[in-house]
Amino acid sequence: MITFLLVGLIVHVVFFISIFDIYFTSPLVHGMTPQSIPLKAPASRLVLVVADGLRADSLFSLLPNGSSRSPYIRSVIENTGSWGVSHTRVPTESRPGHVALIAGFYEDVSAVAKGWKENPVEFDSVFNESRRTWCWGSPDILPMFAKGASGDHVYTHTYPAQEEDFASTDASRLDRWVFDQVKSFFQSVKSNSSLGASLLEDKNIFFLHLLGIDTNGHAHRPMSKEYKENIGLVDSGVADLVSTVEEFFGYDGKTVYVFTSDHGMTNWGSHGAGHPSETLTPLVVWGAGVQKAQRVNEVQPYADGYLQALKKKFKAESMYTNAIQILEQFKTKMSQKKETTLSFLFTPYQFLTESKQVEITNKARILIQLQKYEDAISLCQTLITRSLEGLVYYHKYDRFFLGCSVVMGFIGWTSYVVLVILKTHSGLSRPPDVVQKIPSRKLLTLCLCVALLIILFLLVQRSPLTYYIYCLLPVPVWYCVLKESGTLTDLVQSAHSLPLWKCLRYFVLVAFGIELLVVSFFHRSVLTIGLAALALWPFCSGLFSKAKWRSLSWFLGCLCLAAFPLMPVVGREPNVDVVMCAGLLILLTSFCYLWSSRHKTPLHTSDRPQFMLHVAVCAYVPSLTHSSLLQKQGLPLMNQIISWSTLGRSMTELHHTSYCFVSRKFMYLDAMSYINPPRSEAVFPPVLSWLMFAWINIEQEALLAQGVAGRQEVSSIDFAANIDISRIRQLKLDDIRRSYFFVFFIITAFFGTGNIASINSFDPASVYCFLTVFNPFIMGALMMWKVIIPFIIVMCTFETIQVSTQLSSRSLFLIVLVISDLMALHFFFMVQDYGSWLDIGTSISHYVIVMSMTIFLMLLSVLTHVLTSKRIILWRRTKIHFP
């Protein structure tokens, strides 16, 4: 079992990593020749102001009296500049937004693992191409551009990271600090002649990163007074900034100003996904080379007039240079791919062959020389479009090949697990003479030859190391499948003795159930339908007539839990009373359990006051913290200490095994979950625990209905003792249902109150009891712990059912593994079919979730078998025959 689990773990880790290697490789191309415009630019310097987290509608919308909360920028829009709405891309986070603005590309996803603070790949930026750049703002954004710059010409000025506090009385002080520093900088020039000379040179950039709006949005929501007042502060700060800059340079008309945002924000104060409130950002440009606003008396159709004020020749030359620079990237990417592909297998991009490249570039240059600038611009736009499409073509060149390799491995592994289940638990027996006839040596020779051919093919193509792993993995997997193919033959031969209609019915139900789980990843409300169907199970199976109260408890638990997927994921207003109700529900649940088991197990009276005090404190701490944050008094130190202490204790309780399995594990996990945002999601863990209690009890009745003798009450089971192998029964069709229930409840635990595949489902308020200063790693870890709590509750329940129903962990785990692998394979196929990046990203995130769940289950299984060495020894010394 250990060997099987370790091999399976390695296989799934490879499958997990493959999705990133196939779809999340860096799009950057290095080694091109830099291109430059032969004409002098209209501007000598750039002032870039990025208001982090500013929504487009928050800036552009007018007040009820017709005035604007940003009068200066409004005057620029109406009189002196051009404006529009820019669109960001998922993930709508600060780092990728700034990289797109300043470096001109969408960053590699591996930056997520580094907290948006370091450069996973080196990239060029407008700061690097400038003569000098001065930056003021957040320590999370500025250092990455200084680190990626060649030479020492990017100067950063940041405030301490501790200032980014969501519980601060006034986050707008961050923006005030930036404006004050810029003003002091220009004043210092009077006593620094060398600095003054540097400022008077061309190609200088001044970058202001304003984080106050984003921080106030997270802490108080975008519709709050703090958020809107911060916009007014930024507006007055920009007005003073322009006055300072123009005064210093003597109103020479050589400064261009860009005011924009890296991303927006939802109404509930989060960002990261693709909602319009997150992707729509303001863009206002004015100064040198920018067309001034023109008033019209009638409605004007939209047209991009951003560059109309520039001279036509400069526009044409700029477009030509830009097109040639992108074409250089395309040519470099094409040559790289051509060098690593066999000539007879290489398929070039048909819309931009070498002859077409020469034709378009020569024609564009001739048009510029003939002063047909509009035609030249149009042709350059066509060249840019085709070059970008060609870059995408070569970037995805190997996806189909790698995807097929991973799919082959996936299908092979799933088939092998199915064969193992049939061989171990189906009661199939094979005569010894049949075993000897299996040509294992010839099969091994064939697989080795195939592996050798794959290695030679990849060596010739100079493929990276990961390609060898993805292409060679299916070989040993399919070797194991073909080696066990005799099991399938035995199954066909014994088909006449099997309940075929019953098996077919289970197969159809499980297939439908898996499809329902897949759809639930896209539509959470489908879980409600599933829970409603599960609620009817005792009535359809006849258990209601034998256990009315337990069946009713299951029915009501399913219906109560079914309400949560219908609730909004985020955006709910805080309600401290919900936490109090959750605490009362926990006390009621624990009391019902202890009362029902009072005659079966002696109660530990010393645990009662301790546990009740624990729940009371956990219900009171969020209320007190929420009140303190509303009054802008910060996070109380005592609340912080209690929160961290409770977290540590809840983790410690997971390693304790006591007579009272439920009260010692479920209840402390539930109590810990109340350090949550004061919303309805605080009620989810106790409701889930209630249903898990009902599941444990009703499975006891189902086991009795199947005629299994020697049933043992859960309250009398010693989970610390060794398993009596002689009492473990063979696998039945009904155990497929138990395994499916487990997977269904795992998915419900993940998506019951939110969508963990969506970044904006994570409300920072979830961790305000622990810390309020921005820290992506600690906050992310705490929010992941909050997500894992329901997962552990379901895991503990499944372990209880496995022991109480006298099944081996291997039996149920193999079925769960097949179900989860089929779901992952379904998502992998969906990734191959989708065309848009948003759909691909959604399916990839779902694939990652399922694979993470499977790997987590396998890790738990490995740890369980390693830690309980006595059970392993007992398994090895005991030979069991399953009839």
Side-chain angles (χ1 to χ4, degrees):
M1 186 60 178
I2 289 293
T3 305
F4 175 82
L5 288 174
L6 290 176
V7 172
L9 184 62
I10 294 173
V11 169
H12 282 82
V13 168
V14 172
F15 290 157
F16 180 81
I17 297 176
S18 67
I19 201 71
F20 296 99
D21 215 18
I22 296 174
Y23 290 96
F24 287 137
T25 53
S26 174
L28 296 186
V29 181
H30 300 279
M32 294 82 62
T33 303
Q35 304 291 321
S36 59
I37 303 174
L39 304 177
K40 183 177 177 58
S44 297
R45 66 198 69 91
L46 165 67
V47 177
L48 174 62
V49 182
V50 177
D52 202 307
L54 176 60
R55 294 165 44 150
D57 59 340
S58 298
L59 180 71
F60 293 141
S61 60
L62 299 176
L63 298 175
N65 59 7
S67 62
S68 173
R69 63 174 56 92
S70 52
Y72 177 77
I73 295 178
R74 185 74 184 186
S75 66
V76 170
I77 291 174
E78 294 179 350
N79 302 305
T80 61
S82 293
W83 67 282
V85 176
S86 52
H87 297 259
T88 63
R89 180 171 170 175
V90 177
T92 48
E93 296 289 341
S94 292
R95 179 187 170 106
H98 281 84
V99 171
L101 283 170
I102 300 169
F105 75 100
Y106 296 113
E107 192 173 27
D108 182 59
V109 74
S110 59
V112 176
K114 299 190 176 183
W116 309 119
K117 291 184 178 180
E118 296 182 4
N119 299 339
V121 292
E122 295 300 325
F123 58 83
D124 197 10
S125 69
V126 66
F127 291 174
N128 188 42
E129 295 298 327
S130 67
R131 190 181 303 277
R132 292 178 186 84
T133 297
W134 288 270
C135 309
W136 296 268
S138 168
D140 297 325
I141 298 298
L142 304 189
M144 66 178 176
F145 293 104
K147 180 180 178 180
S150 59
D152 187 19
H153 65 280
V154 178
Y155 310 98
T156 60
H157 307 273
T158 64
Y159 39 76
Q162 292 76 14
E163 294 294 323
E164 300 177 7
D165 190 349
F166 294 118
S168 63
T169 56
D170 184 15
S172 62
R173 73 182 188 283
L174 301 176
D175 299 341
R176 193 178 294 109
W177 182 93
V178 171
F179 288 123
D180 291 343
Q181 289 292 316
V182 175
K183 184 175 292 187
S184 301
F185 170 78
F186 280 101
Q187 291 176 352
S188 66
V189 175
K190 299 177 181 178
S191 58
N192 191 334
S193 58
S194 61
L195 178 61
S198 300
L199 291 176
L200 293 176
E201 294 179 315
D202 61 352
K203 297 184 179 180
N204 286 336
I205 296 177
F206 305 93
F207 172 49
L208 285 72
H209 176 243
L210 308 176
L211 190 62
I213 294 177
D214 182 78
T215 306
N216 272 321
H218 284 306
H220 306 288
R221 309 296 184 260
M223 301 304 171
S224 64
K225 180 184 69 173
E226 291 82 1
Y227 185 89
K228 295 176 180 179
E229 288 180 349
N230 204 150
I231 296 177
L233 183 146
V234 168
D235 180 77
S236 60
V238 170
D240 294 339
L241 170 69
V242 173
S243 177
T244 301
V245 172
E246 292 297 331
E247 182 179 350
F248 178 84
F249 291 104
Y251 299 92
D252 61 353
K254 294 293 185 180
T255 306
V256 61
Y257 301 89
V258 176
F259 179 84
T260 186
S261 176
D262 55 346
H263 57 76
M265 186 171 291
T266 60
N267 291 341
W268 47 91
S270 65
H271 54 80
H275 192 272
S277 61
E278 302 168 85
T279 60
L280 301 181
T281 53
L283 176 63
V284 184
V285 187
W286 69 99
V290 180
Q291 179 186 11
K292 296 182 179 180
Q294 298 179 1
R295 294 186 177 274
V296 294
N297 296 324
E298 56 185 13
V299 179
Q300 188 178 17
Y302 173 78
D304 184 7
Y306 176 74
L307 294 174
Q308 289 181 3
L310 301 177
K311 293 181 179 179
K312 292 183 178 180
K313 182 179 181 181
F314 183 82
K315 290 169 57 178
E317 290 287 355
S318 299
M319 289 294 296
Y320 180 80
T321 304
N322 195 13
I324 296 298
Q325 185 69 74
I326 297 176
L327 179 62
E328 285 291 325
Q329 297 184 45
F330 168 81
K331 293 165 67 174
T332 303
K333 190 74 173 181
M334 181 181 68
S335 62
Q336 291 175 354
K337 187 55 61 180
K338 194 172 184 179
E339 290 174 358
T340 58
T341 306
L342 295 175
S343 57
F344 65 92
L345 294 177
F346 179 74
T347 305
Y349 181 61
Q350 298 298 325
F351 296 100
L352 198 59
T353 59
E354 294 184 3
S355 59
K356 291 182 179 179
Q357 296 173 27
V358 175
E359 177 186 350
I360 294 176
T361 53
N362 290 341
K363 186 176 180 180
R365 174 48 62 190
I366 292 174
L367 288 173
I368 293 176
Q369 292 175 351
L370 295 175
Q371 298 183 359
K372 297 182 178 180
Y373 300 122
E374 296 296 336
D375 295 338
I377 291 173
S378 177
L379 188 61
C380 289
Q381 287 176 336
T382 302
L383 179 59
I384 290 174
T385 301
R386 291 187 180 179
S387 298
L388 292 175
E389 292 174 350
L391 280 170
V392 174
Y393 172 79
Y394 287 117
H395 185 65
K396 301 191 302 184
Y397 194 82
D398 293 332
R399 280 188 182 178
F400 181 76
F401 168 67
L402 295 176
C404 290
S405 300
V406 173
V407 168
M408 286 292 294
F410 239 127
I411 296 175
W413 170 257
T414 306
S415 303
Y416 176 67
V417 176
V418 172
L419 290 175
V420 169
I421 295 174
L422 292 174
K423 180 181 179 181
T424 309
H425 303 290
S426 64
L428 300 176
S429 59
R430 189 182 309 168
D433 57 336
V434 178
V435 178
Q436 295 175 359
K437 292 180 182 179
I438 297 178
S440 57
R441 183 171 297 180
K442 293 182 180 179
L443 181 61
L444 179 60
T445 304
L446 175 63
C447 291
L448 289 176
C449 293
V450 172
L452 183 61
L453 289 175
I454 292 175
I455 292 174
L456 291 176
F457 175 76
L458 296 176
L459 280 174
V460 172
Q461 296 208 131
R462 290 181 288 177
S463 301
L465 178 62
T466 53
Y467 282 37
Y468 290 85
I469 299 175
Y470 304 142
C471 296
L472 290 175
L473 180 62
V475 177
V477 171
W478 278 101
Y479 168 76
C480 295
V481 172
L482 295 176
K483 192 176 179 181
E484 299 291 343
S485 59
T487 304
L488 192 60
T489 304
D490 296 336
L491 178 64
V492 174
Q493 293 176 352
S494 5
H496 63 278
S497 61
L498 298 176
L500 294 180
W501 284 110
K502 189 175 181 180
C503 294
L504 180 62
R505 185 178 62 191
Y506 265 85
F507 174 79
V508 172
L509 288 176
V510 171
F512 175 78
I514 292 176
E515 192 65 28
L516 183 141
L517 288 177
V518 170
V519 176
S520 70
F521 277 72
F522 300 92
H523 306 283
R524 290 172 57 240
S525 57
V526 173
L527 291 174
T528 300
I529 301 175
L531 286 167
L534 294 186
L536 301 176
W537 165 58
F539 304 95
C540 299
S541 60
L543 289 176
F544 178 73
S545 59
K546 301 175 182 178
K548 289 185 172 59
W549 288 110
R550 292 185 174 185
S551 298
L552 286 176
S553 178
W554 166 268
F555 178 77
L556 294 176
C558 287
L559 292 185
C560 290
L561 197 66
F564 287 94
L566 297 177
M567 297 180 181
V569 176
V570 282
R572 294 160 285 187
E573 292 300 322
N575 188 351
V576 180
D577 295 335
V578 172
V579 180
M580 300 299 182
C581 294
L584 293 176
L585 183 58
I586 275 293
L587 292 176
L588 178 62
T589 307
S590 59
F591 175 79
C592 292
Y593 173 79
L594 295 175
W595 178 263
S596 64
S597 60
R598 67 190 186 283
H599 299 305
K600 303 169 185 176
T601 307
L603 301 179
H604 287 192
T605 56
S606 60
D607 284 347
R608 296 179 190 173
Q610 179 184 6
F611 172 72
M612 295 178 68
L613 178 63
H614 185 76
V615 175
V617 169
C618 289
Y620 178 68
V621 166
S623 174
L624 185 60
T625 303
H626 179 69
S627 175
S628 178
L629 295 179
L630 282 181
Q631 298 174 14
K632 298 184 179 181
Q633 295 177 355
L635 173 61
L637 179 60
M638 183 57 65
N639 291 21
Q640 194 172 16
I641 294 174
I642 293 174
S643 300
W644 285 108
S645 302
T646 308
L647 175 63
R649 182 166 188 177
S650 66
M651 290 182 174
T652 304
E653 288 297 328
L654 290 176
H655 304 289
H656 293 169
T657 304
S658 171
Y659 80 97
C660 191
F661 169 76
V662 181
S663 62
R664 297 288 292 182
K665 289 192 175 180
F666 282 5
M667 301 309 176
Y668 277 111
L669 286 169
D670 285 345
M672 174 56 212
S673 68
Y674 297 124
I675 305 184
N676 260 329
R679 302 191 182 101
S680 59
E681 62 186 283
V683 187
F684 180 77
V687 173
L688 178 64
S689 297
W690 170 22
L691 182 57
M692 294 300 100
F693 292 149
W695 187 24
I696 293 172
N697 291 326
I698 203 169
E699 286 292 355
Q700 295 281 299
E701 300 297 333
L703 194 66
L704 188 63
Q706 293 172 5
V708 178
R711 187 189 68 167
Q712 189 177 9
E713 290 291 340
V714 178
S715 56
S716 62
I717 297 177
D718 185 1
F719 290 88
N722 293 326
I723 298 175
D724 186 0
I725 304 298
S726 62
R727 301 185 62 183
I728 292 181
R729 61 178 176 83
Q730 65 177 343
L731 199 65
K732 296 179 178 295
L733 281 176
D734 203 40
D735 296 319
I736 300 177
R737 174 195 56 78
R738 292 186 176 95
S739 301
Y740 177 79
F741 277 15
F742 169 68
V743 177
F744 184 90
F745 287 132
I746 284 291
I747 302 301
T748 304
F750 272 135
F751 294 101
T753 59
N755 181 5
I756 65 172
S758 176
I759 299 177
N760 69 7
S761 293
F762 294 104
D763 190 349
S766 303
V767 299
Y768 283 173
C769 288
F770 297 93
L771 76 166
T772 55
V773 177
F774 178 70
N775 188 312
F777 292 106
I778 297 179
M779 287 183 169
L782 289 172
M783 286 189 283
M784 286 308 299
W785 172 246
K786 186 192 82 169
V787 170
I788 289 174
I789 287 173
F791 183 89
I792 297 177
I793 293 175
V794 178
M795 283 290 298
C796 293
T797 303
F798 194 60
E799 176 70 13
T800 306
I801 292 174
Q802 175 256 314
V803 175
S804 63
T805 56
Q806 304 169 6
L807 269 174
S808 69
S809 59
R810 177 183 181 179
S811 307
L812 290 176
F813 173 75
L814 290 177
I815 302 175
V816 170
L817 190 61
V818 171
I819 295 174
S820 59
D821 282 346
L822 288 175
M823 291 176 59
L825 187 60
H826 197 302
F827 287 124
F828 197 90
F829 278 120
M830 294 173 74
V831 171
Q832 299 289 332
D833 293 338
Y834 279 136
S836 69
W837 172 252
L838 184 59
D839 291 334
I840 289 177
T842 303
S843 294
I844 288 175
S845 64
H846 295 157
Y847 173 84
V848 169
I849 291 170
V850 176
M851 290 303 297
S852 301
M853 180 186 72
T854 307
I855 292 173
F856 184 65
L857 290 174
M858 300 191 78
L859 280 173
L860 285 180
S861 300
V862 171
L863 291 175
T864 300
H865 283 76
V866 170
L867 294 176
T868 56
S869 56
K870 292 182 180 179
R871 297 187 185 184
I872 297 173
I873 294 173
L874 190 58
W875 268 103
R876 290 177 176 174
R877 291 179 179 175
T878 307
K879 186 176 181 179
I880 307 296
H881 173 67
F882 293 95

